[in-house]
Amino acid sequence: MWVLSVVVLAISLIFGTHQTLPPAVGDFLQWLAPHDGAPSAFLVALGFGIGVVVEALPTKLLFRYFSTAVHELGHAFMAGALFARPKTILIQPSSSGLATFELAPNWGRFRSFLVSAAGYPAPSIAAVAAIQAVQRGHSQAWAVFSIAVLSIAIILLIRNFWGFFWTSGVVIASYFGLKLVSAQWVGVGVAGIAGFLAMNGIEFAQIQVKLVRQSPGSGVDAEAISQVTRIPAGLVASGHLLVCMGISGAAGYFAIQPYWSEIQKWTTGLI
């Protein structure tokens, strides 16, 4: 599980930080998706914007489990990368989730902090990585990577009916979508999911802030971090929110970057 966790995190960070892909990785992606490509800048921005709008509407109830799954996988893979053994992920119909893992020997406060801190920023980080992957012409490759991660989660980690049902449905639908849709429209779909994750990640962090203030002892990540760092849970939750806002803002900026100067001129004209 350690190797798998490191590979998943490394791929996400390589795309998320816009690093140059090693030649062997580039060759593998070419083999994996020989007809891959990127949508136009307009379609990437449009897809991201649609995802943001969907998150603001009641329809978000159909898609919020994306954020839950990514959140819990963030915990699980961070734990695996730090030599713990991820055991289970539960995804509930309420969109709450829980990741459990078996501690490694000599497990200390720093590793506990990293695992607890990894969940809330995960959807925002995934949004940045997805946008960067699409803009670099790896729309299908990123979609295959995402489907593979969810498939691995089904086999190794997800252990409740709703989590299994929802995740399996996404994997099956995505598999047939990849076979039927061109790389351009796959990229639009990935950008749309990125927009949703970016906004929903912020909303989940806002909910944590409210829970810490209104329902102490609810067991949210901020309280777990507070126990090992002695930092007040409210301050930790606010830090989570600021981090998510910053990373999600970066995802939005990358998505609309080709039109940034026009947007600045438009907003200046309004002022």
Side-chain angles (χ1 to χ4, degrees), residues 95-222:
S95 79
S96 64
L98 177 66
T100 63
F101 53 93
E102 183 178 314
L103 298 183
N106 303 318
W107 190 263
R109 291 185 175 184
F110 182 65
R111 285 192 282 185
S112 296
F113 162 76
L114 289 177
V115 173
S116 296
Y120 279 97
S124 301
I125 293 171
V128 172
I131 289 296
Q132 297 276 30
V134 168
Q135 291 178 330
R136 294 171 69 173
H138 299 301
S139 301
Q140 290 179 327
W142 183 262
V144 170
F145 168 69
S146 301
I147 293 170
V149 170
L150 290 177
S151 299
I152 290 168
I154 293 170
I155 296 170
L156 299 180
L157 296 171
I158 295 176
R159 291 296 178 267
N160 68 318
F161 173 77
W162 178 252
F164 180 83
F165 174 78
W166 178 84
T167 312
S168 299
V170 170
V171 168
I172 293 170
S174 300
Y175 171 78
F176 286 105
L178 278 174
K179 294 175 68 71
L180 298 173
V181 179
S182 67
Q184 173 176 278
W185 291 107
V186 169
V188 174
V190 170
I193 293 173
F196 182 87
L197 287 174
M199 292 305 297
N200 206 228
I202 294 174
E203 182 179 348
F204 274 24
Q206 289 175 322
I207 292 172
Q208 180 181 227
V209 171
K210 293 180 181 178
L211 287 172
V212 168
R213 292 175 180 172
Q214 300 173 6
S215 304
S218 58
V220 293
D221 295 344

